[in-house]
Amino acid sequence: MDIVDFLSARIGEDEAAARALLGDRSLSKSGVWYEQRLLLECEAKRHLIRIVESARQSALAAMVSGSGQDAGWIPQSLEWMEQSLAALALPYYDHPDFDQAWFRT
């Protein structure tokens, strides 16, 4: 499982839990606010993953095609993208599918 698949699955789980709790009529106003906030955070994380993945694919394509005059930026950019995805995965460190290799300091 790669980090994007891992994150997509965890975000889906978070979203399902928030939706289930929002269906609970005994939830307080603060609880409703929190669960709605969690749903928005799930969408924000998905959006960020799409941005990073698009940039990563573009960088890999440029590296493979050799079309960039100065491709020296690509490895460093790829490292930043990997670190960004790892930061998103960190809250799930205790999940059995979490790979410690994703998070390097």
Side-chain angles (χ1 to χ4, degrees):
M1 172 179 287
D2 77 352
I3 194 166
V4 172
D5 293 334
F6 175 82
L7 283 167
S8 296
R10 300 300 72 76
I11 292 167
E13 292 168 358
D14 288 349
E15 184 177 45
R19 289 191 187 285
L21 288 171
L22 278 171
D24 181 355
R25 295 201 181 270
S26 67
L27 201 60
S28 68
K29 279 189 173 187
S30 62
V32 169
W33 176 87
Y34 178 78
E35 298 310 324
Q36 289 173 338
R37 176 70 174 259
L38 181 56
L39 290 174
L40 290 172
E41 286 181 16
C42 289
E43 185 53 38
K45 288 176 185 178
R46 283 190 181 107
H47 186 69
L48 183 57
I49 291 167
R50 285 191 298 269
I51 291 168
V52 171
E53 267 302 281
S54 178
R56 185 163 67 163
Q57 294 305 317
S58 294
L60 289 171
M63 188 170 66
V64 169
S65 72
S67 63
Q69 290 177 332
D70 178 19
W73 62 272
I74 295 174
Q76 185 175 15
S77 293
L78 289 171
E79 179 64 25
W80 291 338
M81 291 174 223
E82 289 174 15
Q83 288 179 17
S84 297
L85 292 172
L88 287 173
L90 188 57
Y92 306 105
Y93 75 95
D94 58 348
H95 191 278
D97 292 333
F98 183 85
D99 185 344
Q100 292 291 331
W102 294 332
F103 193 73
R104 300 180 308 266
T105 55

